[in-house]
Amino acid sequence: MIDGAAALRDRAAAVLHGNDAGGWTRASPLLYPHQWSWDSAFIAIGWAHLDVRRAMTELERLFAAQWATGMVPHLVFRAGPDHPYFPGPEWWDTSVSPAAPAPPVKTTGICQPPVHALALQRIWQLTPQARQPEIRRRVQALYPRVVRWHRYLATHRDPEASGLVTTYHPWEGTDNSPRWDRALERIAVAKPGPYTRLDTSEVPDPSQRPTDWDYDRFLWLVELLREYRYDDARIYRRYPFLIKDVFFSAVLAAANAALLDLADVAGAGDDDREQLTRWLDRGRAGLAGRFDARTGLAADYDIRAGEDIRLRTFAGFAPLFARTADAGQHAAQLRLLDSEDFCGHPRLRWRLLPSTSPAEPAFEPHNYWRGPVWPVINWLLWQSLGTLGYSGRADELRRDSLAQIAAAGEFAEYFEPFTGKALGSPRQSWTAAAVLDWLASDPGAS
Ligand code: 2M8
C-alpha cells in the first residue's frame, strides 16, 4: 500500500477536474490548453477511474476530429482566444487538405502514437457491470474509427509494408529527442516566417524546453507539410524528414493487440479481425528486424539518409513496448533496462526509465525528451512488463513512479532523473491520469 494513497488520488482527480473543459481535457492548464491526441488517450484512462462515461467522451471528442484519411490529428484546437498556444491553427492551415475535417473543427496536420486502443481496452476493463450495456454500445460505435486510424498508419504511413510507421515530425511524440538530431541537422535551410514562441514564457527556464534552433526546424517542417497539402504521397516523394520510428511502431503493435482483445465486445467482423492480426504480425516482424542483438536495443531508421539511428533512449525498448513474444529479446532488454545505462545508473534517484540514457553524450537531465523521466513512458513500460508476466519489475516501476510524484509534490510533465525535481508544466493531465491508474492497480491494496 502506498503511503498517502488516498490523498494522492484525490489530488490527481482534482487535476483532471481542473483541466476538464467539458467533454475534453486540456493537456495542461497553461502550457497546453488544447486537446492533444495521445494525452487524451492517457487522460481517458484516468477518467475511467472516476467516471467511465466521461472517459468514453474524451475519446469520442478526439475522434470527432479524425481526418478522411483516418488520421487522428496530434492536436485539436479547442480552447478559445483567452488560452493562446503557438503554433496555432493559422500556422497549420489544414484547409489546404481535402482530407482535413470541415470547419469549425481545427486541427494540426500530423499525428501522435496510437495509445487510444489501449485506453479503450482499459475503459472496458474498468466498466462496472451496470454501465456495460451503454459502454459496450459506445465501444462498438468507436471501434471502427480506431480500426480506420490503425489502417491509416499501416498504409499511408507504411507504404513499404514494413510493419514500421514513418513519422514526419518531432512533434509526432517526443519533440526534441536526440533521436532526431542528425535528421534535423541535415535541414540546412530552415527559414520559417516570423514567429514568437509562447512556451518559453510558461516554462521560464529555457534549459527545460527545445531550443530556438529546434523550433526553426519544427516550424519549417510544418511549412513544407502545408506546401505538400498534408498529402502523404507527396510528402513521401519530397519531404526531408521521414523516420521509421520504432517506439511509435511498438505502440501500434500493442494497440492492434488491444483491438483484437476487444473484438468480441465490439462485435468486430472477420475482416477486421484478420486485418488486425496481419498488422500485428507485420508490426512485430518489422520490429524484430530493427533489433540489434549487439546493443540489445531496437534502432530507428532514417529513410532519407538511409541510416540507422543508434542512440540509447527509451525508444530502444520497442520490443518490450510492443510486447514481443521473443523470450531472448525480453531477457536482453530486461538486463539492459537495469544496467548502468538506464535504470541502474548509480546517480538515478528512482529506478525509472529516463527518456535518454545518462550514458549517452546527448543526455541533458533537465531538457524535455533529452533525459528527464516521463511518467507516461514508464506507464507504458509498466503495462507492457505486466502483460508479459514480469509483474515484480512492473510493480517496482509503479511504486517508484508514484514515489517520485509524491516526493516532488507535483503532477509534473517530466522529472529530473538525478534529483527527482518536477520539471516542465505543473498539473499535467496525463501524469495525473497515470497516477490514478497506478494507485488503482496496487497489488497490496486488495
Ligand atoms: C509536447 O509537445 C507539444 C507539441 O505537440 C509542445 O511542446 O508544444 C510533447 O511532450 C507531446 O508528446 C505532448 O503530447 C504535448 C502535450 O503534452 O507536449
Side-chain angles (χ1 to χ4, degrees):
M1 190 68 183
I2 307 285
D3 286 346
L8 194 61
R9 182 183 189 281
D10 288 350
R11 287 177 47 222
V15 169
L16 288 195
H17 283 294
N19 293 342
D20 186 3
W24 64 276
T25 311
R26 299 185 205 290
S28 71
L30 297 171
L31 185 61
Y32 307 120
H34 300 285
Q35 185 176 26
W36 262 260
S37 170
W38 69 327
D39 296 61
S40 256
F42 288 110
I43 289 165
I45 293 171
W47 279 123
H49 292 281
L50 308 175
D51 174 356
V52 282
R53 294 196 290 178
R54 176 63 186 78
M56 281 304 296
T57 308
E58 187 75 29
L59 294 178
E60 289 158 356
R61 289 297 295 275
L62 178 71
F63 276 78
Q66 186 168 25
W67 285 38
T69 51
M71 185 180 78
V72 174
H74 117 276
L75 195 174
V76 189
F77 294 104
R78 293 200 186 280
D82 45 333
H83 288 92
Y85 173 79
F86 179 81
E90 326 66 44
W91 195 281
W92 291 88
D93 188 17
T94 52
S95 66
V96 297
S97 165
V105 181
K106 290 185 181 139
T107 76
T108 62
I110 55 173
C111 60
Q112 287 187 318
V115 183
H116 316 90
L118 298 178
L120 206 56
Q121 183 186 39
R122 194 78 183 107
I123 293 170
W124 180 251
Q125 287 165 358
L126 293 167
T127 300
Q129 205 153 14
R131 291 265 177 247
Q132 283 185 2
E134 177 194 337
I135 299 300
R136 184 191 296 271
R137 271 196 304 280
R138 292 171 73 175
V139 169
Q140 288 175 347
L142 193 61
Y143 192 88
R145 285 178 165 261
V146 186
V147 173
R148 278 180 52 217
W149 163 220
H150 289 197
R151 178 171 297 115
Y152 166 77
L153 294 171
T155 56
H156 290 73
R157 292 301 188 103
D158 187 20
E160 309 87 350
S162 67
L164 301 167
V165 178
T166 306
T167 50
Y168 295 163
H169 200 289
W171 279 333
E172 295 202 312
T174 58
D175 304 33
N176 70 345
S177 170
R179 298 156 74 199
W180 322 133
D181 285 359
R182 274 172 68 90
L184 291 176
E185 275 159 16
R186 283 205 327 272
I187 302 174
V189 182
K191 289 197 192 119
Y195 68 92
T196 307
R197 289 176 67 171
L198 297 176
D199 59 311
T200 37
S201 338
E202 298 302 345
V203 179
D205 174 0
S207 76
Q208 295 177 25
R209 291 287 304 173
T211 62
D212 288 346
W213 183 92
D214 292 322
Y215 257 69
D216 279 352
R217 278 151 190 80
F218 295 170
L219 293 166
W220 177 246
L221 288 175
V222 174
E223 291 202 10
L224 292 178
L225 290 169
R226 199 178 57 216
E227 187 184 319
Y228 304 148
R229 296 169 194 262
Y230 302 102
D231 175 322
D232 296 284
R234 289 181 73 186
I235 292 166
Y236 237 81
R237 277 198 298 276
R238 303 175 55 190
Y239 183 71
F241 188 97
L242 296 178
I243 312 275
K244 287 291 181 192
D245 177 333
V246 289
F247 171 68
F248 202 123
S249 307
V251 174
L252 179 59
N256 278 324
L259 283 190
L260 280 168
D261 180 49
L262 281 174
D264 289 342
V265 177
D270 288 345
D271 285 0
D272 277 351
R273 291 172 200 249
E274 281 160 23
Q275 184 69 85
L276 288 163
T277 306
R278 270 199 300 278
W279 291 335
L280 177 59
D281 292 345
R282 197 198 282 166
R284 288 192 171 147
L287 284 166
R290 300 306 306 153
F291 182 72
D292 179 347
R294 201 174 39 85
T295 62
L297 292 171
D300 300 302
Y301 180 73
D302 183 327
I303 297 181
R304 277 291 177 256
E307 65 186 27
D308 295 337
I309 302 175
R310 296 193 178 280
L311 287 170
R312 285 163 291 180
T313 74
F314 79 97
F317 292 96
L320 290 182
F321 288 116
R323 295 112 197 244
T324 170
D326 185 323
Q329 288 185 18
H330 294 175
Q333 293 233 296
L334 285 167
R335 256 196 319 276
L336 195 63
L337 182 68
D338 284 324
S339 73
E340 294 211 347
D341 278 359
F342 289 98
C343 303
H345 190 281
R347 287 185 60 199
L348 288 196
R349 168 110 190 249
W350 310 101
R351 255 179 2 115
L352 294 170
L353 178 61
S355 47
T356 299
S357 162
E360 191 60 48
F363 172 79
E364 292 176 56
H366 286 93
N367 193 341
Y368 214 36
W369 290 95
R370 301 179 79 86
V373 172
W374 287 72
V376 287
I377 297 298
N378 281 273
W379 185 92
L380 285 170
L381 183 62
W382 163 75
Q383 217 212 23
S384 297
L385 291 184
T387 307
L388 289 171
Y390 302 104
S391 49
R393 187 67 186 96
D395 199 49
E396 286 169 4
L397 284 176
R398 187 187 70 84
R399 277 187 281 126
D400 282 347
S401 294
L402 287 169
Q404 171 178 256
I405 293 162
E410 182 53 78
F411 298 90
E413 190 183 4
Y414 43 97
F415 294 84
E416 214 274 20
F418 300 147
T419 62
K421 186 179 168 217
L423 301 173
S425 171
R427 285 175 286 149
Q428 182 83 8
S429 298
W430 66 7
T431 304
V435 166
L436 288 169
D437 200 43
W438 276 322
L439 286 172
S441 308
D442 183 350
S446 49

